[in-house]
Amino acid sequence: MDAAFRVLIVCRANVCRSPLAEGLMAQALDRAGLSSTVLVESAGTHAGVGEAACPQAMHWSPAAGFGRGSRGVTAQLLGASDLVLAADRESRAECALLDPACRPRMFTLNQAAVVADSLRGPLEDGLPIEGAPSMPIDPRERLTWLVGEMDAARTHLSARPGDSDDIADRHGPAPHSDVFVEVEGAVTRIVGLLAAVAG
């Protein structure tokens, strides 16, 4: 798995949004036949090491990987990741402070989903992306190529209100299943693009 394309998902505490996204993405990648090509991990910008996952999130997706306990994001984790997906702009900004070099390959989950929608149609139709170099043959190299195309496609984000980039942190005792719906929707759209490129 050392040669895998690495995705890191980040939120604040790594007990609700990011571990749910990690688990859902791992399951979707497995269904797409990409579990040996893509490795998904998660971490938190303010995580208390080893804290238990959100019970509501675990109930939403019991098969998702919540067993590890929370962990903090580090510059080393960011530097080793090919794609960084943050739950919100605040988490994204804190990651950029830790490792400024990761900015071109870092998006919020919602930003990546919007960019995925803009790129997926032409790719699935077998059309080249305008101005893009030809796609590599190796699946991991194709995904690395894709991240460059995602960075170039950020113009699709310019007209959006800033708060639409965020999946809000509503973790707590009150029901917050709307967060899980939003996480699952973004993950589904992103994995659709990864599968279209790597498949």
Side-chain angles (χ1 to χ4, degrees):
M1 189 58 95
D2 288 341
F5 179 88
R6 301 176 76 94
V7 178
L8 179 66
I9 305 175
V10 181
C11 70
R12 182 174 175 83
N14 192 218
V15 296
C16 189
R17 294 170 295 168
S18 61
L20 177 67
E22 174 191 357
L24 292 171
M25 184 171 283
Q27 292 168 34
L29 289 165
D30 187 51
R31 289 191 298 271
L34 294 176
S35 57
S36 61
T37 303
V38 183
L39 172 67
V40 188
E41 302 176 282
S42 68
T45 58
H46 293 77
V49 178
E51 286 186 11
C54 167
Q56 292 185 52
M58 287 193 297
H59 181 73
W60 180 264
S61 181
F66 291 102
R68 173 180 37 78
S70 62
R71 69 172 174 173
V73 67
T74 63
Q76 183 178 5
L77 269 175
L78 291 165
S81 300
D82 298 293
L83 177 62
V84 179
L85 300 170
D88 52 47
R89 289 168 296 162
E90 182 179 350
S91 299
R92 185 191 63 191
E94 295 197 32
C95 289
L97 287 173
L98 273 175
D99 180 17
C102 77
R103 288 174 187 265
R105 58 184 193 277
M106 181 168 51
F107 303 82
T108 69
L109 281 161
N110 281 341
Q111 287 175 334
V114 169
V115 170
D117 292 342
S118 74
L119 297 177
R120 187 173 173 185
L123 288 168
E124 287 182 333
D125 293 339
L127 302 174
I129 298 172
E130 187 176 344
S134 59
M135 196 184 297
I137 295 172
D138 176 73
R140 188 191 187 287
E141 290 178 8
R142 288 164 78 95
L143 292 172
T144 302
W145 168 91
L146 172 63
V147 173
E149 296 309 305
M150 291 174 69
D151 184 39
R154 288 180 193 268
T155 53
H156 291 278
L157 305 172
S158 59
R160 290 162 50 82
D163 58 359
S164 65
D165 291 338
D166 297 340
I167 297 178
D169 185 2
R170 298 188 182 94
H171 175 64
H176 48 284
S177 59
D178 56 329
V179 173
F180 311 149
V181 171
E182 198 171 357
V183 168
E184 190 164 29
V187 165
T188 299
R189 292 155 68 192
I190 295 164
V191 172
L193 177 64
L194 299 180
V197 170

